[in-house]
Amino acid sequence: MECVRSGVLDLSCSAHLSGRKGGSTTSCGKSSSTNLVFSTKYQHNLQLAARGSSCLVHRSSVPKQQHNFSVRSSSADVCTTFNENVRGVFSHAAEEKVGVLLLNLGGPETLDDVQPFLFNLFADPDIIRLPRLFRFLQTPLAKLISTFRAPKSKEGYASIGGGSPLRKITDEQANALKLALKKKNLHADIYVGMRYWHPFTEEAIDQIKKDKITKLVVLPLYPQYSISTSGSSIRVLQNIVREDSYFVGMPISIIESWYQRDGYVKSMSDLIEKELSVFSNPEEVVIFFSAHGVPLTYVKDAGDPYRDQMEDCIALIMEELRSRGILNSHTLAYQSRVGPVQWLKPYTDEVLVELGQKGVKSLLAVPVSFVSEHIETLEEIDMEYKELALESGIENWGRVPALGCTSSFISDLADAVVEALPSASVMVTRKANDDNSDMDLMHYLSKMFFGSILAFVLLLSPKLISAFRNTLL
């Protein structure tokens, strides 16, 4: 994630997630997309319980998972039923206005932004997953953790220039996507919605309404789906739109994951092939895929498809490389773990040491879960892991850059958007019952009151403070 190994904490687990060289990057339509029905309620196990009159029907050869988000499917045929009263809400529009909403993590742009950014991160229930009984602690716990982690995180951001470049790069990707769509005869307005820092998703939604968008494609900038990344951003989007009458009747399509698209696979392969050529003996280089980790319980208990999608992604990239005659050995490991819980293995730092002990001399690091440079590529991989690798006996180090605005990559994202538009479906919103609203004033005040008391007790306890420091730092 966009802080120095701030990662994803699961505090509930202790009590219980092909082509040829130079070929076209035109998509074959492999992105996993769905028509989002916002009358469904997002659950942490990714099962969407139907509400109102809406339904999602996936037709795919892939066995149905515990969640409604396909793991390794081709484009799903989606059928949505909806209330006849809202069928024609946008049909009278003189001109269809298409919008594309890019979802991303966000990051602090200055050192002063680091602590509030971390607070937003840890206040997300998809990041720190507390047992239901203790969810009133979410806010005070986020305050506590962000306060402790801020100094170390500031050091990391200072080492890469004093802030995250993620917003600048995402804006550049948005501009490039707009031009790519225009070349494909689709005029669309592009919006950026960040999860934990400006511009927040709420800000993007406000602008979408001001621009009178009539059809929307939502594109998370995460190739693989995870509860803690795309899932969290989609949940926020659901909550916003479900309460806003503007979106009643608007066709919306979400591209949930797109790691399996030919354009993405070939773009990644192009970058790997280019960086391999820099080595004096390219055939001896181990291709080292490093992906952001998630707690193991997300996969095992919550049905997160992230690990399966990541392994599938690596297999597709290596298949493409082999088709080009590149037969290097490779490995996959997971970085950025934090806290006492078990994360997806193997761990990046441990594998680097093992490779050095086995006599590997040349290694090419590939940040496979990131499409933009940020703290975990520029500081964690380029500085910390490079230093560890060299200390472990690896002599030749290389790193594949993030895709950024690579033309073939942006063109394929544009293809994905064009392909998603026909399947955009009308949604039905229903205002939440005030009796069940989490924003009920007394409920909110009681959570803040008791949570603040516990946080105050923790702050006064030297032993607990020490335990938190040992765990989080």
Side-chain angles (χ1 to χ4, degrees):
M1 297 195 161
E2 181 59 23
C3 60
V4 181
R5 291 185 305 284
S6 57
V8 184
L9 296 180
D10 187 344
L11 302 186
S12 64
C13 66
S14 60
H16 329 298
L17 207 169
S18 293
R20 300 295 179 189
K21 182 176 179 181
S24 170
T25 58
T26 301
S27 164
C28 63
K30 288 185 177 179
S31 60
S32 171
S33 64
T34 189
N35 304 341
L36 183 64
V37 180
F38 287 96
S39 58
T40 58
K41 184 176 181 181
Y42 178 83
Q43 301 291 340
H44 284 297
N45 64 1
L46 298 182
Q47 293 174 322
L48 301 182
R51 298 172 62 185
S53 57
S54 299
C55 69
L56 281 165
V57 179
H58 290 261
R59 297 189 181 96
S60 172
S61 59
V62 179
K64 194 169 184 179
Q65 306 290 320
Q66 287 184 337
H67 45 78
N68 283 342
F69 298 102
S70 58
V71 178
R72 299 182 184 179
S73 65
S74 59
S75 294
D77 294 325
V78 183
C79 129
T80 304
T81 62
F82 48 88
N83 192 318
E84 294 293 333
N85 292 331
V86 300
R87 183 184 295 270
V89 170
F90 284 95
S91 62
H92 64 280
E95 181 182 354
E96 182 177 79
K97 295 194 65 176
V98 175
V100 179
L101 175 59
L102 303 180
L103 299 177
N104 212 335
L105 192 79
E109 298 177 61
T110 69
L111 295 182
D112 290 336
D113 297 336
V114 171
Q115 193 278 327
F117 164 77
L118 291 176
F119 172 80
N120 293 336
L121 178 73
F122 291 119
D124 181 0
D126 288 319
I127 300 299
I128 297 184
R129 303 180 68 236
L130 295 173
R132 183 177 300 275
L133 183 63
F134 298 103
R135 287 180 186 170
F136 68 94
L137 292 174
Q138 192 84 48
T139 298
L141 190 59
K143 182 67 174 179
L144 192 65
I145 297 174
S146 62
T147 299
F148 283 138
R149 286 206 59 83
K152 185 174 182 179
S153 292
K154 284 182 179 180
E155 293 178 4
Y157 283 107
S159 71
I160 63 170
S164 171
L166 192 58
R167 178 173 182 174
K168 177 177 180 293
I169 295 172
T170 306
D171 286 343
E172 291 171 351
Q173 291 171 324
N175 292 331
L177 179 60
K178 184 179 180 71
L179 293 176
L181 288 171
K182 188 175 181 180
K183 291 179 181 179
K184 299 177 189 296
N185 298 316
L186 176 61
H187 295 269
D189 292 327
I190 315 297
Y191 306 89
V192 173
M194 299 295 193
R195 181 64 181 89
Y196 304 114
W197 202 245
H198 302 284
F200 291 110
T201 304
E202 293 86 346
E203 298 174 57
I205 290 295
D206 286 343
Q207 192 59 50
I208 286 171
K209 292 164 60 178
K210 290 178 182 178
D211 292 343
K212 303 186 185 306
I213 296 300
T214 63
K215 181 179 286 189
L216 184 65
V217 175
V218 181
L219 175 58
L221 288 177
Y222 309 101
Q224 306 83 15
Y225 180 93
S226 174
I227 293 171
S228 58
T229 54
S230 301
S232 179
S233 293
I234 291 170
R235 177 179 60 82
V236 168
L237 185 63
Q238 286 177 319
N239 292 339
I240 295 171
V241 174
R242 191 161 47 220
E243 297 295 325
D244 196 325
S245 60
Y246 177 85
F247 293 93
V248 172
M250 177 187 287
I252 297 180
S253 181
I254 285 187
I255 304 172
E256 297 160 0
S257 63
W258 36 269
Y259 69 91
Q260 67 278 66
R261 294 185 62 84
D262 279 356
Y264 169 75
V265 171
K266 290 178 179 178
S267 295
M268 288 294 297
S269 299
D270 289 344
L271 293 178
I272 293 171
E273 185 175 17
K274 179 180 179 180
E275 294 302 319
L276 282 174
S277 67
V278 176
F279 289 84
S280 56
N281 297 300
E283 68 280 355
E284 298 178 0
V285 178
V286 172
I287 301 174
F288 186 85
F289 294 98
S290 187
H292 194 287
V294 298
L296 183 60
T297 185
Y298 278 39
V299 174
K300 293 181 65 176
D301 299 336
D304 196 330
Y306 179 70
R307 179 172 61 184
D308 287 343
Q309 291 192 2
M310 185 59 67
E311 292 174 355
D312 193 22
C313 176
I314 302 307
L316 291 170
I317 293 173
M318 291 309 301
E319 180 182 358
E320 171 65 21
L321 290 174
R322 285 192 292 270
S323 75
R324 304 180 184 192
I326 299 172
L327 306 177
N328 297 59
S329 61
H330 74 281
T331 189
L332 166 64
Y334 296 91
Q335 66 181 81
S336 309
R337 74 185 188 275
V338 65
V341 302
Q342 186 175 0
W343 286 49
L344 290 181
K345 290 184 176 183
Y347 299 141
T348 293
D349 52 352
E350 294 180 356
V351 174
L352 287 173
V353 174
E354 292 172 2
L355 291 175
Q357 293 173 345
K358 292 178 180 178
V360 172
K361 297 302 180 183
S362 299
L363 184 143
L364 178 62
V366 183
V368 67
S369 55
F370 312 108
V371 299
S372 304
E373 302 291 355
H374 63 302
I375 190 75
E376 287 171 342
T377 59
L378 300 174
E379 194 271 342
E380 190 173 7
I381 294 179
D382 288 354
M383 299 180 187
E384 295 185 30
Y385 290 148
K386 179 181 180 180
E387 181 180 359
L388 178 61
L390 297 178
E391 290 176 351
S392 301
I394 295 170
E395 298 175 356
N396 306 303
W397 169 275
R399 203 262 284 179
V400 170
L403 285 165
C405 290
T406 303
S407 59
S408 59
F409 167 59
I410 295 297
S411 179
D412 189 61
L413 287 185
D415 286 335
V417 170
V418 171
E419 293 162 14
L421 274 173
S423 63
S425 65
V426 174
M427 65 181 183
V428 177
T429 62
R430 184 174 66 181
K431 196 151 181 81
N433 191 318
D434 291 340
D435 293 336
N436 297 325
S437 174
D438 287 336
M439 294 308 296
D440 175 80
L441 181 59
M442 293 306 297
H443 185 208
Y444 175 77
L445 291 177
S446 64
K447 288 197 300 182
M448 289 298 298
F449 176 74
F450 290 108
S452 298
I453 290 177
L454 181 55
F456 183 72
V457 171
L458 290 174
L459 287 171
L460 292 180
S461 171
K463 290 184 178 181
L464 288 175
I465 289 296
S466 177
F468 266 105
R469 287 185 181 277
N470 292 337
T471 298
L472 300 173
L473 302 180

